[in-house]
Amino acid sequence: GFDQKLQGKRVLVSAGGTREALDPVRYLSNHSSGKMGIAIAHVAAMLGAEVSLVRTESTLNLPVLPSIDTITVSSAVELNDAMTMQEGQADIIIMAAAVSDYRAEEVAGQKMKKDKTQSKNRLNLSLVENPDILANLPKANHYVVGFAAETQDVVAYAQAKLQTKGADMIVANDVSDRSIGFASEDNAAYLVTQTEVKALEKSNKMIIASQILAAVLIDSRAKKK
Ligand code: PMT
């Protein structure tokens, strides 16, 4: 059978890309498929954890084990509400979702029409900041892992994010390489904590997920979290 290393632990994971509505038919989003976050949820469940998954609509084509308690959300505000509702029950929180930093200031009630006047060959969208879910999560009573999707200087940005977001660990992945990161089967990452930087070589997201969870277990014990 599986090694029950996470028996008795409650793990809360977010997965997928948020969608920020512009009108009833359009949205702003990103390339996250949810594969990384859902792999973490599955490995945690196989290791005996009680798992809650908050997934976005962009992940709905991926199967999820029925033993995993799942909520589906769309926007960053909805994801924030779901994470805030559930964080109190979690020992380990992993934010693998790709969250839009901004949303439309106003969502049009009807489909926006193309302006056909010659002088109007431009459309300006006004955006407002979304809540920073990871930064706002309480950190005292659980071990909190964030991700960093970067296209350059991944370790330096991850170390900065560890401080600004107050996380215990940042999983930094380079999303400029199409064979890893967004939507691919594989990933490669650096696990950045207060005390070390550990490189994970390119492999399937299920393998990366187990390496992340193994590192979380060791560091959470060391930090008595
Ligand atoms: O889903 P896949 O196709 O498998 O792809 C996986 C992935 C590339 C999406 C994943 O591995 C990943 O990197 N997820 C985080 C993407 C992201 O939003 O990175 P960021 O650097 O913008 O944000 C940093 C951290 O803050 C993340 O943990 C993010 O969830 C969180 N955040 C960001 C903005 C915001 N308003 N609230 C947040 O909580």
Side-chain angles (χ1 to χ4, degrees):
F2 295 112
D3 189 347
Q4 299 288 295
K5 281 211 164 63
L6 287 175
Q7 182 91 59
K9 295 276 184 205
R10 296 161 303 176
V11 178
L12 172 60
V13 186
S14 68
T18 61
R19 290 179 178 171
E20 308 302 326
L22 300 177
D23 71 13
V25 300
R26 302 181 178 96
Y27 57 80
L28 294 174
S29 194
N30 58 65
H31 295 294
S32 172
S33 64
K35 282 178 188 164
M36 188 66 247
I38 290 175
I40 293 170
H42 280 145
V43 173
M46 288 189 286
L47 292 173
E50 201 180 295
V51 182
S52 292
L53 171 67
V54 183
R55 52 145 76 184
T56 66
E57 287 173 329
S58 72
T59 72
L60 285 175
N61 60 331
L62 296 178
V64 174
L65 278 173
S67 65
I68 295 176
D69 179 54
T70 304
I71 302 181
T72 306
V73 298
S74 181
S75 65
V77 166
E78 286 175 26
L79 177 58
N80 185 45
D81 290 346
M83 295 303 288
T84 307
M85 285 270 291
Q86 300 220 43
E87 58 83 12
Q89 284 91 261
D91 301 305
I92 298 166
I93 303 177
I94 304 180
M95 279 294 297
V99 185
S100 175
D101 289 320
Y102 297 91
R103 66 176 181 278
E105 186 170 26
E106 275 176 61
V107 180
Q110 303 299 326
K111 183 182 172 194
M112 290 157 71
K113 291 288 172 217
K114 188 170 173 182
D115 192 334
K116 299 230 171 54
T117 33
Q118 276 261 293
S119 58
K120 294 278 175 58
N121 58 357
R122 194 178 291 274
L123 171 70
N124 293 313
L125 289 173
S126 182
L127 305 178
V128 293
E129 219 176 306
N130 270 328
D132 189 327
I133 305 166
L134 178 61
N136 293 342
L137 283 172
K139 310 295 189 312
N141 298 320
H142 27 236
Y143 191 90
V144 179
V145 181
F147 271 71
E150 305 292 354
T151 55
Q152 55 178 353
D153 301 328
V154 289
V155 173
Y157 280 119
Q159 281 165 330
K161 260 177 197 163
L162 193 68
Q163 309 309 329
T164 56
K165 308 241 182 182
D168 295 291
M169 180 187 293
I170 294 286
V171 180
N173 40 204
D174 184 347
V175 291
S176 64
D177 180 343
R178 286 290 192 84
S179 72
I180 57 174
F182 287 124
S184 52
E185 293 308 314
D186 294 343
N187 204 356
Y190 293 94
L191 305 186
V192 179
T193 63
Q194 220 61 259
T195 50
E196 69 174 338
V197 177
K198 189 176 195 268
L200 302 184
E201 66 180 52
K202 182 175 169 179
S203 40
N204 185 274
K205 283 177 178 171
M206 291 291 273
I207 308 281
I208 298 288
S210 37
Q211 291 168 320
I212 294 168
L213 288 167
V216 166
L217 259 179
I218 293 170
D219 197 44
S220 65
R221 282 193 191 126
K223 290 177 105 173
K224 300 203 163 46
K225 272 187 146 187

